[in-house]
Amino acid sequence: MKAEERWQARFRAPRATLPVWAAQAPSRSVYRSNASGAWEVYAWDRAGGSTRQATSRPKGTSHGAIDPTGQWIWWFDDTDGDEWGRWMRQPFYGGPDQPIDLAPGFPAGLGLSATGDAVIGMARPGQGFTIHLVQPGEPARTLYEHAEAAAVSAVSLDGSLIAISHSERGDARHPGLRVLRRNGEVVGDLHDAPGKGLIGLRFAPVSGDRRLLTLHERRGRREPLVWDPETGDQREIWLRDPGEITADWYDDGRSLLVVRGNRGRTYLTRYDLPGGGFFPIETQHGVIDAAAPRPDGSVEYSWSSGAHPPLIRSTSGHVVMNHGGPTSPPSVPVEDVDVEGPGGRVHAFVSRPERGSGPFPTVFVLHGGPTAQDDDSFVPQVAAWVDLGFAVVRVNYRGSTGYGSAWRNALHGDVGHIELADVAAVRDAMVDRGVCDPDRLVLSGASWGGYLTLLGLGTQPKMWAAGIATVPIADHVATYEEETEALRSYHRALLGGSPEEQRERYVNSSPITYVDQVEAPLLILAGENDPRCPIGQIEAYVARLAERDHEHRVYRYDAGHGSLVVSERIAQMSAQLEFARKHVKTDI
């Protein structure tokens, strides 16, 4: 198979998310898959063995859920990826979609109970955030509203308790938790010290059980906490092993599945609440994107590694599901590297071509977020670069998750420049170690990674031979004026206030401030309907490039913050590879 056929086959190979089942009807599951050519919601009846595609839309569907009784599939109806719309539901075995009677907005969480109630969070420009209770046959009621970011975290199985995440203290990066009754009465509030957030995960899956599984960061990383909001009782679960942690309930509410991520790999453990014992669960070396315990005590999980394409596995020893179609070609394993940076040791991943010993032409692919991370999972884009003869370097710069609260919280004041200082340290180390050819380096990334790409080309112009920025922030001030309410809250938390309050910080961290210093040719990919990194501020940046006749290309596509359509993703990858081949000489 030729290189182009190989990388395109990875994009076309059917993939699926971990099936999520109904708590009271575990044979009924929903998941999302790209098998139709776009990411859509599917219904799977495990008992009968039938599968059907529940949604079918030209641009794909990004959100799907199932209610605890297994009667209804819920999905979010936006327009061409703009994230603005309303929730719909349809019967599990098919039937007409029913719109939920709420004004459209941006989604801010969904909670479903066994009583048929739904709790829906929405954000709307100029109106802030609202949490609505939707009961069958009744008008929707507003339970909560605030100008600062808020979202539905969880709803108890019987629908009596509703957990919301909120940032009433003005810090959307470190929210608090509040539990309400259906009449809006406050049952309990949970706050930690400034700079220490709380994440509500899930109420115990037992009717009448009030315990809420939560994540705290009281000891410098995210760890599980079981909280009873009525009594105030708290039980912290502490692991000796390093890494950040999340968790889920086993079906009986007596044990927790503890999911630990450390240096880009995932490890599973069962924690017995009555006895307090930890029991490691053996899985393959790699990354688990999602995991959940089945009623029989087994655990299903979505697994992959840098070399091996994703599978849905079970700890009982079998592959849970297979969508058919051609399988994805494998790729090369990743290598871990550690580099001393200006803010501490930086962990990065390197993927090298199988042929040659280097130094290689190299693409630095910067992750989005910034509260995200690169890991040892299977990424078709990375494999495509490797097939073309490029090494790929991915840097978990300051601001990334997975390395503790201090590393994640290190972004303040000099945002953008902090991350790029770590990228520069890794870049220099990889050149010194003979991995990268300093004259053939491409800086690239999407979303926050696209933003860092534009900023890096302007502030580190001698380092990079070419740049590829996908759905980037080009101007923080202009982005703030057009982005979603949730991202405005995040912007204020990250930069210490609004543009009116912190204009110097917004300007200092904006790529458009340094656009006249850009030397490398640049490809920008932008979504026409992107509510996160709006097209207008990208157009203003491109106009500045055009004024000085700087070499650039803009690839526009009819979707939002990324595309859910396989053919469009292939077209975008092809545009990136073609651009890199034009400006950087490869050895293949």
Side-chain angles (χ1 to χ4, degrees):
M1 188 180 288
K2 296 181 180 178
E4 184 173 10
E5 294 173 337
R6 282 175 60 84
W7 75 255
Q8 291 192 11
R10 295 190 189 98
F11 281 81
R12 291 195 175 99
R15 299 177 66 173
T17 61
L18 182 71
V20 177
W21 52 86
Q24 295 182 336
S27 66
R28 298 185 182 186
S29 302
V30 297
Y31 60 91
R32 293 174 59 244
S33 173
N34 66 347
S36 70
W39 283 91
E40 296 288 0
V41 179
Y42 287 75
W44 177 26
D45 180 355
R46 299 182 182 221
S50 63
T51 300
R52 72 175 184 90
Q53 185 176 330
T55 59
S56 180
R57 307 194 312 142
K59 304 298 182 182
T61 305
S62 58
H63 299 291
I66 188 169
D67 81 299
T69 68
Q71 296 183 62
W72 297 97
I73 294 172
W74 289 65
W75 60 277
F76 193 77
D77 183 20
D78 67 352
T79 303
D80 294 341
D82 65 358
E83 302 179 36
W84 176 270
R86 64 180 66 203
W87 285 97
M88 309 282 284
R89 69 175 192 172
Q90 65 174 255
F92 181 81
Y93 288 109
D97 290 308
Q98 299 180 7
I100 304 305
D101 189 19
L102 277 179
F106 294 107
L110 171 72
L112 304 172
S113 77
T115 64
D117 296 349
V119 183
I120 298 175
M122 300 294 275
R124 302 179 182 91
Q127 300 178 39
F129 297 79
T130 53
I131 307 294
H132 307 275
L133 175 64
V134 179
Q135 298 173 285
E138 299 287 338
R141 291 194 293 113
T142 300
L143 296 178
Y144 175 91
E145 52 189 334
H146 203 277
E148 294 291 346
V152 180
S153 293
V155 175
S156 63
L157 189 61
D158 61 9
S160 63
L161 298 178
I162 298 154
I164 63 170
S165 168
H166 68 87
S167 52
E168 292 178 4
R169 296 184 176 184
D171 186 359
R173 300 175 72 197
H174 304 98
L177 275 175
R178 179 168 299 156
V179 173
L180 309 173
R181 300 194 197 279
R182 284 186 290 187
N183 61 5
E185 175 190 350
V186 176
V187 178
D189 267 310
L190 195 59
H191 292 280
D192 277 346
K196 297 182 185 296
L198 295 154
I199 299 174
L201 297 176
R202 187 183 172 204
F203 282 99
V206 179
S207 186
D209 198 326
R210 304 167 307 202
R211 295 173 300 162
L212 177 64
L213 183 58
T214 303
L215 296 180
H216 70 88
E217 45 185 324
R218 297 167 183 172
R219 287 185 289 269
R221 64 173 181 174
R222 287 178 177 155
E223 297 176 325
L225 165 73
V226 177
W227 173 44
D228 186 327
E230 290 197 343
T231 66
D233 289 344
Q234 300 179 28
R235 179 172 176 179
E236 297 180 9
I237 290 89
W238 179 77
L239 249 70
R240 185 183 303 274
D241 301 308
E244 297 225 34
I245 302 167
T246 187
D248 196 5
W249 293 99
Y250 275 81
D251 201 51
D252 60 4
R254 295 172 56 83
S255 299
L256 299 178
L257 174 66
V258 178
V259 183
R260 180 175 63 91
N262 184 47
R263 291 177 58 83
R265 278 91 181 179
T266 315
Y267 307 88
L268 300 183
T269 303
R270 181 172 63 84
Y271 176 72
D272 179 42
L273 285 163
F278 289 96
F279 303 93
I281 299 171
E282 184 176 348
T283 59
Q284 297 79 4
H285 190 67
V287 174
I288 294 171
D289 288 326
R294 287 287 292 169
D296 64 2
S298 65
V299 176
E300 294 182 355
Y301 57 97
S302 175
W303 173 92
S304 71
S305 72
H308 300 286
L311 288 171
I312 309 295
R313 296 179 179 269
S314 170
T315 55
S316 61
H318 65 278
V319 174
V320 174
M321 59 181 297
N322 191 329
H323 235 302
T327 59
S328 173
S331 187
V332 297
V334 301
E335 307 168 32
D336 295 80
V337 297
D338 292 282
V339 173
E340 290 301 326
R345 182 169 293 182
V346 185
H347 180 218
F349 292 101
V350 176
S351 303
R352 305 189 196 209
E354 293 180 309
R355 288 183 290 174
S357 58
F360 300 100
T362 303
V363 182
F364 278 68
V365 179
L366 307 184
H367 70 70
T371 52
Q373 66 171 308
D374 283 310
D375 55 28
D376 185 15
S377 60
F378 190 81
V379 183
Q381 293 90 333
V382 170
W385 286 114
V386 172
D387 284 354
L388 192 65
F390 283 83
V392 177
V393 178
R394 295 176 292 154
V395 182
N396 281 324
Y397 49 74
R398 278 171 287 174
S400 302
T401 57
Y403 300 87
S405 299
W407 193 258
R408 188 176 67 252
N409 293 337
L411 298 191
H412 55 83
D414 216 17
V415 169
H417 304 282
I418 293 171
E419 303 95 295
L420 288 171
D422 292 342
V423 173
V426 175
R427 179 256 188 208
D428 292 346
M430 293 302 97
V431 170
D432 291 344
R433 297 177 192 182
V435 176
C436 304
D437 182 339
D439 297 322
R440 296 187 291 169
L441 299 181
V442 180
L443 184 61
S444 73
S447 193
W448 195 263
Y451 153 63
L452 293 177
T453 297
L454 294 186
L455 188 64
L457 295 182
T459 60
Q460 303 168 338
K462 303 299 183 183
M463 287 188 179
W464 311 106
I468 302 173
T470 303
V471 290
I473 294 174
D475 182 344
H476 283 291
V477 176
T479 296
Y480 184 89
E481 296 304 318
E482 297 184 58
E483 66 188 347
T484 67
E485 294 299 298
L487 288 174
R488 284 187 180 185
S489 292
Y490 186 85
H491 244 132
R492 292 193 296 271
L494 189 62
L495 291 170
S498 68
E500 290 74 21
E501 297 164 322
Q502 296 287 354
R503 188 167 188 85
E504 184 176 348
R505 287 185 178 180
Y506 278 74
V507 172
N508 183 58
S509 292
S510 290
I512 201 166
T513 303
Y514 312 95
V515 64
D516 292 337
Q517 297 169 209
V518 174
E519 297 181 10
L522 172 61
L523 169 64
I524 297 178
L525 298 93
E528 299 276 4
N529 313 310
D530 191 346
R532 299 170 181 253
C533 300
I535 191 74
Q537 49 98 33
I538 294 174
E539 291 174 332
Y541 183 92
V542 169
R544 291 280 298 275
L545 290 175
E547 286 174 5
R548 50 189 287 255
D549 293 324
H550 183 80
E551 186 171 2
H552 68 280
R553 182 191 170 197
V554 179
Y555 179 108
R556 297 170 70 126
Y557 60 92
D558 184 20
H561 196 65
S563 176
L564 300 175
V565 179
V566 173
S567 61
E568 176 57 40
R569 290 187 175 188
I570 290 174
Q572 291 183 25
M573 192 72 238
S574 181
Q576 294 180 60
L577 297 176
E578 178 185 351
F579 182 83
R581 276 195 295 255
K582 177 180 178 181
H583 296 287
V584 177
K585 184 179 182 299
T586 66
D587 301 321
I588 294 180

